[in-house]
Amino acid sequence: MSDRTTPADVVPFRQAVRTWFGISLQTFGGPAGQIAVMQRHLVDERRWIGQQRFLHALNYCMLLPGPEAQQLAIYVGWLLNGLRGGLVAGTLFVLPGFVALLALSAVYVGFGDTTVVTALFAGLAPAVVAVVAQAVWRVGRRALTSPALVGFAVAAFAALAVFGVPFPLVVAAAAVAGWALHRWRPALITAGSGHGAAKEGPPPLIADDALHHDQPSARRAVVILAAGLVLWFAPLAVVAATTGAGSVYTQQGLFFSGTAVVTFGGAYAVLAYVAQRAVEDFAWLSAGDMVRGLALAESTPGPLIMVVQFVAFLGAYHHPGVLDPWVAGVVASVLTCWVTFVPCFLFILLGAPYVERLRGNQALSAALTGITAAVVGVIANLGVYFAVHTLFSGGSVRPVACVIAVVAAVLIFGLKWSVLRVLGVSAVLGLIAGLAGLPVT
């Protein structure tokens, strides 16, 4: 490991802000699509960060609760521009999705007629299947550098898709297997590592052997932890003091603060629990509302866990207390997003300096390499899950969705179109099909 450090600003801050804003508008398709977008912009095209550093950061984020793609943005933003870079990258990553879903929540409860919106999103969803397939290909061809790692990915996919093994167990098993292979047969896990990425362009601005300038220390950790906890819970304390401990706002703030620290394995792993509590215990919305909210969240930019904003909006709108229902919905949306995403910043900014210093630990790197390979299988499993729920309904094929998915795949893999252009074309196709009276849902 080199002793040299990266500067506070690897790239000009304004240029970084513009880039993160552009990325934030393309974060469709769940974590797979979002990681693919960052891979393309930051690793492949701009060469701001190397493939190994990108995967190392992703490995750490995969171990944390919360949306790993947003946490990866925070980590890379921190590497590029320090604290302010991490804050800007993480905030911009969720901002377009927050605005879009807030507007759609208002349309949903205010008008109840979302025919045009439904048709647009019905076109987006099949395109996302192609985006996820692209992510599996992009990440897989870089991470699966030996037959053993291909086996890790296949085993992870089978464990999740066939046997229903919990995601944390899959990650833990991959880490142990990676460590074991490094100890007993290191050639099986290191063969071909890194060669593909090295030939694809000029050296990245952040070298693989350079340490970040931000040094880990007990003082820094205490300051970050104290500031993070205050920022996390202060708004909730103000809401509880203002509206009462039993108000819908306090209930939502406490509930979603709890879910923020147990969302291992991505949003799907915790959404069943959220739906059960929100529908059956709190009666914030109906089961049908929850399903439609999930569809909206899947078709808007940002992390899928953003669906909790929709849940909160409807819950507060239906139980506003002394507030106007529209004001209640906005307040609940803001509070819920705050307690959901602030912990992500805390986890990354607290742990990243230590994770940086562990990149030279070969045993740990082998364990994380095993996790990276398993992540390919995890992404593939998510892609299959999404395809099944998008292209099929009740055991029958959705013809419109299948046609749009094929068109999107041709545009992405054949014509190499950008994700944003493909999503735009797909949305228009969905709208045309909906207005023509074809079944789009």
Side-chain angles (χ1 to χ4, degrees):
M1 180 70 66
S2 173
D3 292 330
R4 63 196 180 94
T5 61
T6 58
D9 283 318
V10 177
V11 298
F13 183 64
R14 290 186 178 181
Q15 183 181 0
V17 171
R18 289 194 298 269
T19 299
W20 285 116
F21 181 72
I23 290 174
S24 73
L25 299 178
Q26 303 176 47
T27 53
F28 293 89
Q34 294 155 5
I35 292 169
V37 168
M38 287 188 283
Q39 167 82 40
R40 184 173 61 254
H41 282 276
L42 304 173
V43 180
D44 298 338
E45 296 178 358
R46 289 175 173 81
R47 302 295 295 164
W48 286 355
I49 181 172
Q51 184 66 56
Q52 297 305 312
R53 294 295 292 276
F54 186 81
L55 290 177
H56 181 82
L58 176 59
N59 289 334
Y60 173 56
C61 297
M62 289 295 296
L63 296 175
L64 299 173
E68 62 268 25
Q70 190 226 6
Q71 291 167 336
L72 178 60
I74 298 171
Y75 196 121
V76 177
W78 172 77
L79 286 175
L80 293 171
N81 299 97
L83 176 62
R84 62 176 182 171
L87 294 176
V88 167
T91 301
L92 287 179
F93 195 87
V94 300
L95 189 59
F98 169 80
V99 173
L101 201 53
L102 181 63
L104 292 172
S105 300
V107 169
Y108 184 82
V109 301
F111 301 98
D113 181 7
T114 58
T115 302
V116 173
V117 174
T118 299
L120 286 170
F121 290 154
L124 286 174
V128 170
V129 175
V131 173
V132 173
Q134 181 192 45
V136 174
W137 169 252
R138 282 180 175 270
V139 178
R141 69 190 179 96
R142 290 171 172 83
L144 306 182
T145 56
S146 72
L149 296 179
V150 174
F152 279 35
V154 173
F157 176 83
L160 292 167
V162 179
F163 300 104
V165 178
F167 174 82
L169 292 182
V170 173
V171 171
V176 172
W179 171 83
L181 275 182
H182 167 75
R183 181 171 180 178
W184 290 303
R185 297 288 298 277
L188 292 179
I189 199 170
T190 58
S193 178
H195 295 301
K199 298 178 181 178
E200 294 185 1
L205 295 182
I206 301 178
D208 283 336
D209 64 344
L211 295 173
H212 192 272
H213 73 281
D214 205 350
Q215 298 283 341
S217 67
R219 180 180 179 277
R220 178 190 181 281
V222 169
V223 171
I224 293 291
L225 181 62
L229 291 176
V230 169
L231 288 172
W232 186 356
F233 290 107
L236 178 56
V238 171
V239 167
T242 304
T243 64
S247 71
V248 65
Y249 316 100
T250 305
Q251 288 180 340
Q252 290 178 348
L254 291 173
F255 176 66
F256 290 118
S257 290
T259 60
V261 297
V262 297
T263 51
F264 293 97
Y268 285 114
V270 76
L271 282 181
Y273 170 69
V274 170
Q276 180 184 16
R277 294 295 308 277
V279 173
E280 299 177 10
D281 297 341
F282 294 113
W284 291 334
L285 72 175
S286 69
D289 291 333
M290 186 70 197
V291 172
R292 286 184 282 274
L294 180 58
L296 293 178
E298 285 177 328
S299 303
T300 51
L304 179 59
I305 196 63
M306 192 74 77
V307 69
V308 299
Q309 174 192 349
F310 179 85
V311 174
F313 188 101
L314 265 65
Y317 184 88
H318 294 148
H319 309 281
V322 298
L323 296 180
D324 177 84
W326 292 102
V327 175
V330 173
V331 170
S333 293
V334 172
L335 177 63
T336 295
C337 285
W338 183 269
V339 300
T340 297
F341 292 109
V342 166
C344 297
F345 292 92
L346 177 59
F347 296 148
I348 296 299
L349 297 177
L350 186 62
Y354 298 95
V355 174
E356 282 288 289
R357 265 66 188 176
L358 291 174
R359 283 187 294 111
N361 187 307
Q362 293 185 354
L364 178 62
S365 295
L368 293 179
T369 298
I371 294 174
T372 300
V375 164
V376 178
V378 173
I379 296 174
N381 176 64
L382 289 175
V384 170
Y385 177 92
F386 197 80
V388 168
H389 288 78
T390 302
L391 307 181
F392 302 91
S393 176
S396 60
V397 177
R398 292 175 172 171
V400 173
C402 289
V403 170
I404 295 176
V406 170
V407 171
V410 171
L411 295 178
I412 287 179
F413 289 99
L415 301 182
K416 310 297 183 184
W417 279 25
S418 69
V419 172
L420 203 58
R421 290 178 67 190
V422 172
L423 291 172
V425 169
S426 301
V428 171
L429 291 176
L431 180 59
I432 293 173
L435 295 179
L438 299 176
V440 295
T441 60

